[in-house]
């Protein structure tokens, strides 16, 4: 699971493991590190051109929550029929890192349990849609 080594729930205790896609600012990874989480950015690993399916597989293998701006990731996760990895898709008009970071902090507090069990979260202005995995056909 994506919870800390002590088995604490996502929303309660760091570290949570994240994988940030290219549409997410590296500043968000720095922000997550400052909160004590284990976050990596594809660019930091030289994986800027990794295909979406491989990114989902990497997140699943490393037990990381995907942070993305591209709706396609949710489709790959849902099509797999698996419960993990969870993915948070940010669909904000203003994708400034401060906006993402604030939303992410609230999401972890409010939806940490769902992310740990397996969920797709879609974040828009003023709304977070949570869909538990695996998705029903």
């Amino acid at each position: 699971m994506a919870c800390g080594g002590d088995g604490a729930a996502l929303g309660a205790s760091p570290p949570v493991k994240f994988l940030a896609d290219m549409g997410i600012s590296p500043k968000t990874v720095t922000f997550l590190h400052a909160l004590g989480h284990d976050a990596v950015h594809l660019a930091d690993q030289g994986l800027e051109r990794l295909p979406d399916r491989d990114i989902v597989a990497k997140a699943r293998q490393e037990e990381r929550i995907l942070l993305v701006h591209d709706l396609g990731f949710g489709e790959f996760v849902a099509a797999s029929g698996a419960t993990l990895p969870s993915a948070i898709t940010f669909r904000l008009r203003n994708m400034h890192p401060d906006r993402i970071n604030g939303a992410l902090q609230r999401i972890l507090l409010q939806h940490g349990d769902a992310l740990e069990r397996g969920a797709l979260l879609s974040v828009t202005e003023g709304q977070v849609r949570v869909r538990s995995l695996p998705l029903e056909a």
Side-chain angles (χ1 to χ4, degrees):
M1 285 304 210
C3 63
D6 62 358
L10 273 175
S13 177
V16 178
K17 296 169 67 175
F18 295 96
L19 176 61
D21 183 46
M22 297 305 297
I24 302 297
S25 172
K27 291 179 180 179
T28 294
V29 171
T30 301
F31 171 78
L32 290 167
H33 286 161
L35 295 178
H37 298 295
D38 175 359
V40 296
H41 197 283
L42 289 174
D44 292 338
Q45 297 185 334
L47 300 174
E48 296 92 337
R49 300 204 181 278
L50 192 65
D52 290 354
R53 288 183 199 274
D54 294 341
I55 293 168
V56 170
K58 177 178 177 55
R60 182 175 293 118
Q61 179 183 10
E62 296 178 6
E63 298 180 339
R64 294 184 181 276
I65 296 170
L66 277 168
L67 302 177
V68 301
H69 182 61
D70 179 354
L71 291 173
F73 285 97
E75 293 171 9
F76 285 125
V77 173
S80 75
T83 57
L84 295 173
S86 288
I88 304 172
T89 303
F90 293 94
R91 304 300 299 164
L92 303 173
R93 287 185 290 272
N94 179 354
M95 288 291 292
H96 188 277
D98 289 342
R99 295 282 311 255
I100 298 295
N101 298 349
L104 193 50
Q105 202 164 19
R106 288 187 300 278
I107 288 166
L108 288 175
L109 290 173
Q110 297 171 1
H111 303 289
D113 290 341
L115 289 166
E116 185 174 353
R117 287 189 306 269
L120 298 178
L121 276 65
S122 178
V123 182
T124 58
E125 277 74 13
Q127 181 179 358
V128 177
R129 181 178 180 203
V130 180
R131 297 167 63 199
S132 295
L133 293 171
L135 296 182
E136 305 256 338

